[in-house]
Amino acid sequence: PEHKLPRPEGGASPLAIVSQSGAFAVAKFSKLAGLNPRYLISAGNQLDLTVGDYMAYLADDPEIEIVAFYVEGFRPLDGVRWLEAARSAAESGKTVILYRAGRTVAGARASASHTAAVAGDYVVTRELARAAGVIVADTLEDFEDLTRTFCTLRDLPVRGWRLGAVSNAGFERVAIADSLGRFQLAELTRSTRDGLAELLLDDRWFKLSTAFNIELCE
């Protein structure tokens, strides 16, 4: 019902979410505020169509740029079909995201009771998927973040490892700096600093800017 799960405003995003769990699909749909997937597919126990079938179809869909899969288990030989279609999609410029569930003994038992899936070796699945150009999500939170990031920034070219960070607290700036990993903080150009200063000193933003810990470093 609309009062429980409002439909996002605006046009459809070039995104397809395919899940073996209907509840997972609905839960992620509700958290991806602002995104309106063109397809939200629950494959269930794959009694008829398989995740490989969906991957093959979406790989050829010109309106889809990002495909995100939640998979608990592949039907016999369907993993090969899925990988071939995923590789084709990645080579054509599409982004394929995979969260592979059923990684542990307990998880495999749970997936078997859930969708009758027999979980295979997760490490094998992960490495084969990465070799095919698939973005593998390590956690459910990563799955959500990756889906949102690739949808939101799909038109922006990535040219390096530099980041710009915005925070309203000093400790958060320290936490950001300590969590950069391979990234580096970008040095803002004079024009960028001047533009930010002009924005923040605007009457509409002045009260907001003075309420936060905002610094424009020389």
Side-chain angles (χ1 to χ4, degrees), residues 174-189:
V174 176
I176 291 171
D178 284 341
S179 304
L180 289 175
R182 296 176 59 185
F183 291 94
Q184 296 178 342
L185 288 177
E187 294 184 10
L188 302 183
T189 63

Side-chain angles (χ1 to χ4, degrees), residues 99-110:
Y99 180 84
R100 178 66 162 83
R103 307 176 183 186
T104 64
V105 173
R109 290 174 179 169

Side-chain angles (χ1 to χ4, degrees), residues 7-13 34-36:
R7 184 178 298 276
E9 298 179 358
S13 301
L35 299 181
N36 186 12

Side-chain angles (χ1 to χ4, degrees), residues 34 63 66 80-81 99 126 166 172-173 195 217:
E63 296 184 325
I66 302 100
V80 175
R81 175 174 168 79
Y99 180 84
R126 181 190 66 197
V166 179
E172 291 176 343
R173 292 189 299 158
C217 299

Side-chain angles (χ1 to χ4, degrees), residues 2 5-13 29-37:
E2 286 288 332
L5 189 63
R7 184 178 298 276
E9 298 179 358
S13 301
F29 176 75
S30 67
K31 287 189 175 183
L32 294 171
L35 299 181
N36 186 12

Side-chain angles (χ1 to χ4, degrees), residues 62-81:
E63 296 184 325
I64 295 297
E65 298 177 24
I66 302 100
V67 189
F69 276 82
Y70 169 87
V71 176
E72 294 182 352
F74 295 97
R75 300 283 290 179
L77 298 181
D78 195 56
V80 175
R81 175 174 168 79

Side-chain angles (χ1 to χ4, degrees), residues 134-171:
V134 175
I135 308 298
V136 180
D138 292 328
T139 67
L140 294 177
E141 291 77 13
D142 286 348
F143 179 92
E144 181 180 328
D145 289 342
L146 287 167
T147 302
R148 182 187 302 280
T149 298
F150 277 102
C151 282
T152 305
L153 304 180
R154 67 183 186 278
D155 295 328
L156 299 179
V158 178
R159 297 191 178 95
W161 292 93
R162 293 172 300 168
L163 285 177
V166 179
S167 170
N168 68 338
F171 88 91

